[in-house]
């Protein structure tokens, strides 16, 4: 029997162990997509207890707690931080086979030097140990980032955001990790939302452009893109149900926009036509600016209406969508390509059955301008576990170019989540190690080490063009 989560956790072959410990483990972390609050970095937030840094805002944990029958007061309710932690410890102790078990214990090991197991019997011990550690200055937000060997972070930011905290961090010479904004214009696109016109008022104020037409919406967004670019932004991100392609002419789009502004309800077909026009505009702008476009899709959000009304969005009530038509994704990319406006693009689907389709699609749009111009993004959300990551990488290796893969992103709100890069790298090294040990690839350590280091770090540096040194 193997020891519990020892130094060779998830590494079953000598080749995998060498690749991880000699190369992957030593590479820095480039977190090109996350949901960390830049204000907390600027103010170098200190955490009073483990619940604040571990359970606050973590809908992964909340969802598992609900599945174990934990009452909502111990999840998002008014129970004390200690009570919430003890409920979490109780259910985590039985989370066999769940990635949260591995993530949580990696975080306990790396940040709190705790190599035991967390369960109902050890909750008091771990609570006291973690809280004592958190009292040390080395456990502040900035210190945790530095301790995790992070070189650059891209946050997720709305076009109307002031980016004031990014500016403050950039001006602070005592903190040398780059913190860059990433453009997330979902609210500007979601014309069907009840508060859409309220959002347009905010965008009008931020841009200085009165948004009363689709043309003026595009102009306002260009102005805000210029502002984001001045703060170092070169990455966009879109949260979509799916990538749609319902083309319509400019007059039709203007009519749809005017109809929505007048308070009339638009049809589903009109919504899709507008969103298609919006995404075509966005893609062309990104190409012109040299920005990367990220497409996250395959999710159906806020499914539990009663709980959405009580606790709001991003609280654990989303699911995988089974409607992710690859034909429309292909037509969308081709429409951009035909106009000379296809930017570097990263595609993520929440539905794991889309892996092979995505890998066949991206092969249609690669070119010599950049290795892996169109990327199959790392296994996302409900798939960022051992099975999901393995399936995504094996699919990419089978149909595309695994050696050109830009690797892992944190996609988290927690300053302890950088261990997910370690988790990913262990799985990646295990996959490559298996291929070598099975005689399917030569045991050429010069080439293998380059592949592993590139996937861990260098490919992302090259792909995004960040001002970082390769390792």
């Amino acid at each position: 029997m193997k020891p519990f989560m020892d130094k060779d956790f998830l590494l079953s072959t000598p080749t995998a162990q060498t690749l991880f410990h000699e190369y992957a483990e030593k590479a820095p972390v480039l977190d090109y997509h996350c949901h960390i609050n830049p204000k907390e970095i600027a103010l170098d937030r200190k955490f009073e207890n483990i619940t604040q840094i571990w359970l606050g805002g973590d809908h992964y944990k909340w969802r598992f707690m609900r599945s174990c029958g934990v009452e909502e007061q111990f999840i998002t309710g008014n129970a004390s931080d200690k009570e919430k932690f003890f409920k979490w410890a109780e259910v985590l102790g039985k989370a066999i086979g769940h990635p949260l078990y591995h993530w949580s214990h990696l975080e306990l090991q790396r940040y709190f030097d705790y190599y035991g197991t967390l369960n109902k019997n050890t909750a008091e011990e771990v609570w006291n140990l973690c809280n004592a550690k958190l009292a040390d200055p080395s456990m502040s937000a900035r210190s945790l980032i530095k301790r995790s060997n992070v070189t650059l972070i891209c946050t997720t930011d709305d076009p109307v955001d002031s980016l004031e905290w990014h500016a403050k961090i950039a001006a602070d010479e005592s903190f040398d990790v780059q913190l860059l904004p990433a453009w997330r214009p979902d609210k500007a696109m979601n014309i069907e939302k009840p508060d859409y016109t309220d959002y347009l008022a905010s965008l009008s104020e931020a841009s200085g452009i009165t948004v009363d037409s689709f043309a003026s919406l595009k102009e306002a967004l260009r102005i805000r893109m210029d502002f984001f670019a001045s703060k170092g932004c070169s990455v966009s991100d879109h949260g979509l149900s799916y990538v749609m392609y319902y083309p319509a002419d400019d007059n039709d789009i203007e009519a749809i926009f005017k109809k929505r502004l007048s308070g009339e309800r638009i049809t589903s077909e009109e919504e899709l036509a507008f969103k298609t026009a919006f995404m075509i505009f966005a893609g062309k702008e990104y190409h012109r600016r040299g920005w990367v476009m990220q497409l996250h899709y395959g999710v159906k959000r806020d499914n539990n209406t009663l709980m959405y009304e009580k606790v709001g969005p991003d609280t654990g009530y989303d699911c995988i969508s089974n409607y992710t038509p690859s034909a429309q994704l292909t037509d969308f990319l081709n429409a951009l390509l035909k106009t000379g406006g296809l930017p570097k693009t990263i595609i993520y689907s929440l539905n794991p059955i889309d892996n092979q389709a995505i890998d066949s699609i991206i092969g249609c749009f690669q070119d010599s301008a950049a290795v892996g111009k169109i990327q199959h993004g790392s296994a996302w959300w409900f798939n960022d576990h051992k099975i999901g990551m393995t399936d995504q990488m094996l699919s990419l290796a089978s149909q595309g170019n695994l050696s050109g893969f830009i690797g892992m992103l944190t996609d988290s709100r927690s300053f302890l989540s950088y261990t997910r890069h370690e988790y990913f790298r262990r799985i990646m090294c295990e996959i490559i190690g298996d291929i070598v040990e099975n005689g399917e690839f030569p045991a050429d350590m010069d080439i293998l080490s380059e592949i592993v280091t590139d996937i861990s770090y260098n490919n992302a540096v090259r792909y995004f063009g960040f001002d970082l040194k390769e390792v």
Side-chain angles (χ1 to χ4, degrees):
M1 180 184 296
K2 291 184 176 181
F4 171 69
M5 290 186 66
D6 68 351
K7 68 180 183 67
D8 291 327
F9 171 57
L10 297 177
L11 306 169
S12 65
T13 66
T15 302
Q17 293 160 8
T18 298
L19 290 174
F20 178 75
H21 292 302
E22 294 297 322
Y23 305 103
E25 187 175 25
K26 298 176 180 179
V29 169
L30 198 170
D31 196 11
Y32 56 85
H33 175 69
C34 75
H35 298 277
I36 281 176
N37 186 343
K39 180 179 179 179
E40 294 184 345
I41 302 175
L43 299 179
D44 199 17
R45 181 182 175 184
K46 315 296 190 297
F47 300 89
E48 296 176 9
N49 59 59
I50 183 64
T51 298
Q52 289 184 2
I53 196 170
W54 229 16
L55 294 172
D58 192 339
H59 54 80
Y60 285 78
K61 293 187 178 78
W62 296 350
R63 187 180 177 99
F64 183 73
M65 293 171 78
R66 294 183 188 116
S67 73
C68 296
V70 175
E71 296 177 20
E72 194 66 26
Q73 73 180 89
F74 298 105
I75 302 172
T76 61
N78 59 4
S80 69
D81 285 350
K82 186 171 184 179
E83 289 174 315
K84 290 179 178 179
F85 176 78
F86 271 59
K87 285 293 184 181
W88 169 243
E90 180 181 344
V91 299
L92 182 67
K94 296 182 179 180
I96 188 168
H98 202 293
L100 282 168
Y101 197 84
H102 295 151
W103 297 349
S104 298
H105 284 90
L106 278 174
E107 291 170 15
L108 287 172
Q109 290 180 5
R110 301 296 174 262
Y111 297 108
F112 299 97
D113 300 314
Y114 181 77
Y115 288 84
T117 57
L118 176 58
N119 53 47
K120 62 183 179 182
N121 299 318
T122 60
E124 185 77 39
E125 171 193 5
V126 175
W127 170 260
N128 292 330
L129 181 150
C130 290
N131 292 346
K133 293 269 188 182
L134 286 169
D136 190 278
S138 66
M139 297 294 281
S140 68
R142 291 190 181 191
S143 297
L144 288 168
I145 291 170
K146 292 290 292 180
R147 183 173 174 176
S148 303
N149 198 19
V150 179
T151 60
L152 186 147
I153 298 170
C154 289
T155 54
T156 304
D157 308 280
D158 188 275
V160 304
D161 287 350
S162 68
L163 305 183
E164 60 179 304
W165 300 108
H166 294 81
K168 289 179 179 179
I169 294 167
D172 187 345
E173 296 181 358
S174 68
F175 187 63
D176 62 356
V177 177
Q178 294 185 55
L179 184 76
L180 303 179
W183 172 266
R184 180 76 175 246
D186 295 357
K187 291 181 180 179
M189 184 184 74
N190 290 337
I191 192 172
E192 80 284 6
K193 297 293 185 181
D195 59 352
Y196 185 68
T197 54
D198 293 335
Y199 178 79
L200 293 183
S202 298
L203 179 60
S204 296
E205 182 177 357
S207 65
I209 296 289
T210 300
V211 179
D212 55 7
S213 65
F214 185 52
S216 58
L217 172 64
K218 291 187 287 186
E219 183 58 26
L221 291 172
R222 288 189 190 99
I223 289 171
R224 296 305 294 169
M225 286 185 197
D226 290 342
F227 173 68
F228 270 58
S230 73
K231 303 301 180 183
C233 178
S234 61
V235 181
S236 70
D237 183 51
H238 295 263
L240 308 167
S241 297
Y242 64 96
V243 181
M244 69 294 295
Y245 187 67
Y246 288 82
D249 64 33
D250 291 345
N251 291 333
D252 288 339
I253 301 302
E254 287 291 1
I256 293 167
F257 196 80
K258 291 285 188 184
K259 181 179 178 182
R260 177 64 183 87
L261 290 188
S262 71
E264 291 185 62
R265 183 184 297 273
I266 61 173
T267 67
S268 297
E269 291 76 13
E270 289 171 332
E271 175 190 337
L272 293 172
F274 174 81
K275 289 183 175 180
T276 297
F278 186 100
M279 290 300 300
I280 292 292
F281 156 74
K284 289 179 179 179
E285 278 296 318
Y286 304 152
H287 179 268
R288 184 174 70 83
R289 297 167 182 270
W291 287 14
V292 172
M293 176 171 68
Q294 296 180 93
L295 305 175
H296 283 89
Y297 65 89
V299 57
K300 188 174 186 299
R301 298 180 185 271
D302 306 323
N303 298 296
N304 187 325
T305 305
L306 294 178
M307 289 305 296
Y308 175 78
E309 292 172 351
K310 285 179 75 172
V311 296
D314 302 320
T315 52
Y317 295 100
D318 308 317
C319 73
I320 294 170
S321 169
N322 63 351
Y323 185 66
T324 52
S326 59
Q328 291 189 40
L329 171 60
T330 307
D331 289 346
F332 168 70
L333 296 175
N334 191 50
L336 288 172
L337 181 69
K338 288 192 298 183
T339 60
L342 178 61
K344 291 181 180 178
T345 302
I346 311 171
I347 301 169
Y348 314 78
S349 175
L350 195 55
N351 195 330
I353 68 171
D354 291 341
N355 283 337
Q356 304 253 346
I358 289 173
D359 290 320
S360 68
I361 289 168
I362 66 176
C364 299
F365 298 98
Q366 308 292 17
D367 62 36
S368 59
V371 175
K373 175 180 178 178
I374 314 298
Q375 288 274 337
H376 182 181
S378 184
W380 173 45
W381 198 345
F382 293 124
N383 303 309
D384 56 0
H385 46 69
K386 184 172 68 172
I387 295 172
M389 290 181 181
T390 300
D391 287 350
Q392 185 268 346
M393 281 187 271
L394 287 177
S395 176
L396 180 58
S398 298
Q399 297 198 48
N401 175 18
L402 179 62
S403 69
F405 180 33
I406 57 173
M408 184 60 175
L409 66 166
T410 305
D411 194 25
S412 171
R413 293 167 174 81
S414 171
F415 292 99
L416 299 181
S417 291
Y418 298 111
T419 53
R420 294 186 191 177
H421 287 259
E422 176 185 341
Y423 181 72
F424 165 85
R425 292 174 187 184
R426 287 176 179 271
I427 294 167
M428 180 257 293
C429 290
E430 175 72 358
I431 291 170
I432 294 174
D434 276 347
I435 292 172
V436 174
E437 297 273 345
N438 288 334
E440 299 171 32
F441 194 88
D444 184 331
M445 202 52 66
D446 286 341
I447 292 176
L448 291 170
S449 63
E450 183 178 345
I451 291 172
V452 165
T453 305
D454 283 351
I455 296 172
S456 298
Y457 186 74
N458 290 337
N459 285 340
V461 174
R462 297 167 190 152
Y463 186 78
F464 291 96
F466 293 134
D467 182 21
L468 297 169
K469 292 182 179 179
E470 298 178 23
V471 296

